[in-house]
């Protein structure tokens, strides 16, 4: 088998066999296939696409390129959630205890963030004492006994995906449905879950800018998951503005606590219930999404979800008092208001640019080596569709330095005020496969 023949075959729009796909992934991972041939095949896939079977084979070849996680020692159906990215996306911090409160095992592997704010692990480490450096044996024990635990991602999951993504990033082949779908799904499948719920973002702050693109990606991933034996569903959700009000690690933990108490932002609660309903349904704990949502609302109302969050924090060494006393979370030295310069209605909040403004404060990482300041970030005081008076605060900047002129400029530039506006729809569609 020769790589040049595989490239030519896909270039001509023909279907690759499972053996040819495995030959490519194994050879590229091992270093036997050079970058220039891998980039040629990626470009051929970009233009010629792949059918459902090819996408599933590509996904599984990447799954088996490295370590896979065996969660079979955990009782019950393990359901994982993945978001395609966004600004202020605090859903995991809410969903994990919310779903676990219904005795559904949440065995979450998370990473550190590169971008606007930290990843789930960075956010959790804003809680004093919380740690994810636990053994796999302890991880399994915690999930079996308490239904919830979070551990850092293994360094050797899907090495083929890491290598191929780095190549796609510099060869103009990132934006390809089969390559995106197989990249995401390979990591989720290698992490050992039985069922997967996907939050596919669309809008200015998302990778997929239109609902149609997001739906195509969601359908591709749901198809891959179901075809390889993982029950998979997806939600298409809006990211034209940040989710919730908080952008920043400690700020988002505080907002997650509010949401578990039923006092959080309406959009964050709505999305968590939409995603959580799918998780509960796929775990076999409800016969319909409607029944699943009502069960989630009940554990929120009763305080059971909040108690589960406290238990989760305590079990991983954290100070559970932050739930009742969120002022114990890291606090920024300065709070600086950004007032509106005119009357009107908030018409647009460019999510990715506002996220970048938070990163410039130190809330996220520009590079892997960057340090995160867990206390800093932004609190939106207005969302799209809200009326605002001149002089009223649009955003509160939480900073550990007084000089934030560049951040203020970015906020003013990317929050538009007009005579009227319509708030965007949050959930556009559900893909069930």
């Amino acid at each position: 088998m020769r790589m040049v023949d595989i490239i030519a075959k896909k270039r001509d729009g023909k279907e690759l066999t499972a053996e040819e796909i495995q030959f490519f992934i194994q050879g590229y991972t091992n270093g036997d296939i050079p970058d220039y041939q891998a980039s040629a095949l990626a470009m051929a896939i970009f233009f010629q696409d792949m059918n459902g079977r090819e996408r599933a084979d590509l996904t599984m070849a990447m799954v088996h390129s490295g370590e896979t996680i065996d969660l079979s020692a955990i009782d019950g159906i393990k359901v994982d959630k993945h978001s395609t990215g966004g600004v202020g996306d605090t859903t995991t911090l809410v969903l994990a205890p919310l779903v676990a409160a219904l005795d559904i095992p949440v065995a979450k592997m998370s990473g550190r963030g590169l971008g606007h704010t930290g990843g789930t692990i960075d956010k959790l480490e804003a809680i004093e004492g919380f740690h994810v450096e636990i053994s796999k044996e302890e991880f399994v024990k915690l999930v079996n006994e308490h239904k919830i635990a979070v551990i850092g991602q293994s360094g050797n999951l899907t090495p083929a995906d890491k290598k191929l993504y780095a190549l796609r990033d510099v060869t103009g082949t990132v934006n390809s449905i089969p390559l995106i779908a197989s990249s995401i799904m390979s990591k989720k499948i290698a992490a050992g879950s039985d069922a997967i719920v996907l939050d596919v973002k669309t809008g200015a702050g998302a990778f997929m800018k239109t609902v149609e693109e997001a739906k195509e990606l969601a359908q591709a991933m749901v198809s891959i998951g179901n075809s390889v034996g993982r029950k998979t569903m997806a939600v298409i959700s809006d990211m034209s503005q940040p989710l919730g009000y908080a952008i920043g690690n400690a700020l988002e933990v505080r907002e997650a606590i509010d949401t578990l108490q039923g006092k959080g932002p309406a959009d964050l609660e709505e999305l968590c219930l939409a995603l959580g309903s799918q998780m509960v349904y796929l775990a076999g704990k409800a016969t319909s999404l409607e029944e699943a949502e009502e069960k989630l609302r009940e554990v929120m109302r009763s305080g059971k979800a909040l108690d589960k969050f406290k238990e989760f924090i305590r079990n991983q060494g954290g100070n559970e008092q932050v739930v009742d006393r969120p002022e114990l979370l890291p606090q920024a030295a300065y709070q600086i208001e950004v007032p509106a310069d005119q009357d009107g209605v908030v018409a647009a909040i460019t999510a990715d640019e506002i996220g970048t403004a938070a990163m410039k404060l130190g809330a996220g990482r520009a590079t892997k080596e960057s340090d995160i300041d867990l206390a800093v970030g932004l609190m939106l005081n207005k969302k799209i569709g809200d009326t605002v008076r001149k002089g009223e605060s649009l955003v509160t900047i939480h900073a550990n330095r007084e000089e934030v002129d560049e951040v203020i400029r970015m906020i003013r530039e990317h929050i538009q005020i007009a005579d009227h506006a319509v708030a965007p729809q949050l959930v556009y569609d559900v893909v069930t496969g």
Side-chain angles (χ1 to χ4, degrees):
M1 195 175 294
R2 298 192 311 161
M3 187 61 193
V4 65
D5 298 324
I6 295 172
I7 295 168
K9 188 176 181 182
K10 180 47 69 178
R11 177 203 66 199
D12 296 339
K14 295 175 183 175
E15 185 179 337
L16 299 182
T17 66
E19 291 75 22
E20 287 167 333
I21 291 169
Q22 181 62 40
F23 174 84
F24 161 60
I25 290 297
Q26 185 175 333
Y28 187 53
T29 305
N30 295 341
D32 298 331
I33 292 171
D35 279 351
Y36 60 82
Q37 286 190 312
S39 60
L41 182 59
M43 190 63 76
I45 292 169
F46 181 92
F47 284 112
Q48 295 290 3
D49 205 346
M50 284 180 141
N51 63 25
R53 196 270 309 155
E54 287 176 293
R55 293 174 180 186
D57 285 342
L58 177 60
T59 301
M60 295 310 292
M62 291 199 288
V63 167
H64 295 303
S65 69
E67 181 184 353
T68 58
I69 307 302
D70 182 5
L71 299 180
S72 60
I74 296 174
D75 300 329
I77 297 172
K78 283 73 71 178
V79 184
D80 201 357
K81 188 272 303 182
H82 176 81
S83 168
T84 58
V87 181
D89 192 349
T90 316
T91 51
T92 296
L93 296 185
V94 179
L95 279 170
L98 189 61
V99 172
L102 290 171
D103 292 327
I104 295 167
V106 180
K108 187 71 181 162
M109 291 196 168
S110 294
R112 300 187 184 277
L114 183 63
H116 308 124
T117 59
T120 298
I121 286 178
D122 297 301
K123 293 168 189 177
L124 287 168
E125 287 181 347
I127 301 168
E128 182 188 6
F130 191 98
H131 63 274
V132 296
E133 293 80 14
I134 56 179
S135 68
K136 288 181 183 173
E137 292 74 21
E138 177 68 9
F139 179 62
V140 168
K141 181 173 180 287
L142 284 174
V143 179
N144 271 329
E145 292 181 1
H146 304 282
K147 302 302 178 187
I148 180 172
V150 173
I151 193 173
Q153 285 177 344
S154 166
N156 196 39
L157 281 186
T158 63
D161 173 60
K162 293 182 181 73
K163 195 171 180 182
L164 189 57
Y165 186 87
L167 185 73
R168 289 165 52 212
D169 197 34
V170 295
T171 57
T173 52
V174 169
N175 197 13
S176 162
I177 293 292
L179 296 178
I180 299 169
S182 58
S183 172
I184 292 171
M185 293 303 292
S186 66
K187 291 190 283 284
K188 292 290 103 181
I189 292 164
S193 57
D194 302 310
I196 302 163
V197 171
L198 302 160
D199 179 13
V200 183
K201 304 290 192 185
T202 183
F207 187 67
M208 312 308 284
K209 300 301 181 187
T210 69
V211 174
E212 291 72 24
E213 288 174 331
K215 189 168 184 178
E216 185 182 359
L217 176 59
Q219 288 172 332
M221 293 192 290
V222 169
S223 176
I224 289 170
N226 287 324
S227 70
V228 300
R230 303 301 196 279
K231 295 186 286 186
T232 309
M233 297 174 78
V235 167
I236 314 295
S237 70
D238 180 72
M239 190 42 72
S240 59
Q241 64 176 334
L243 183 65
Y245 295 105
I247 307 163
N249 299 281
L251 296 174
E252 290 183 41
V253 172
R254 189 166 191 155
E255 188 164 82
I257 293 166
D258 288 343
T259 304
L260 287 167
Q261 292 173 326
K263 301 185 297 187
D267 58 346
L268 178 58
E269 180 176 310
E270 180 186 345
L271 184 56
C272 286
L273 289 171
L275 294 167
S277 297
Q278 291 194 354
M279 294 173 76
V280 173
Y281 176 76
L282 291 180
K285 295 288 187 176
T287 57
S288 68
L289 293 175
E290 293 75 19
E291 181 191 351
E293 180 175 330
E294 182 50 42
K295 287 187 172 188
L296 291 170
R297 288 187 183 276
E298 176 53 35
V299 292
M300 194 181 284
R301 279 192 298 265
S302 68
K304 192 175 176 183
L306 198 67
D307 289 341
K308 182 60 68 173
F309 192 45
K310 288 181 182 178
E311 181 183 53
F312 164 50
I313 293 169
R314 182 172 65 249
N315 288 341
Q316 295 199 219
N319 181 5
E320 65 181 284
Q321 290 184 53
V322 299
V323 175
D324 298 314
R325 297 174 57 203
E327 67 273 11
L328 294 173
L329 290 163
Q331 304 280 319
Y334 303 98
Q335 292 189 22
I336 302 158
E337 306 299 334
V338 182
D341 53 13
Q342 67 183 80
D343 292 347
V345 178
V346 176
I349 303 176
T350 312
D352 51 352
E353 295 292 345
I354 295 298
T356 300
M359 185 180 72
K360 287 184 179 295
L361 290 168
R365 293 182 179 88
T367 69
K368 289 179 182 177
E369 293 73 33
S370 301
D371 290 327
I372 280 186
D373 186 337
L374 297 170
V376 304
L378 306 174
M379 283 295 296
L380 302 179
N381 298 314
K382 299 289 181 180
K383 298 287 288 278
I384 296 175
D386 289 347
T387 57
V388 61
R389 291 285 191 185
K390 183 178 179 180
E392 196 175 1
S393 179
L394 292 171
V395 176
T396 304
I397 299 172
H398 292 250
N400 277 325
R401 64 177 193 269
E402 289 186 88
E403 173 50 55
V404 291
D405 288 350
E406 183 185 9
V407 174
I408 292 173
R409 179 191 60 75
M410 291 183 72
I411 290 169
R412 290 195 178 283
E413 194 174 316
H414 296 289
I415 297 183
Q416 297 175 22
I417 299 173
D419 293 333
H420 63 276
V422 178
Q425 183 176 337
L426 179 64
V427 175
Y428 290 104
D429 208 348
V430 172
V431 179
T432 64

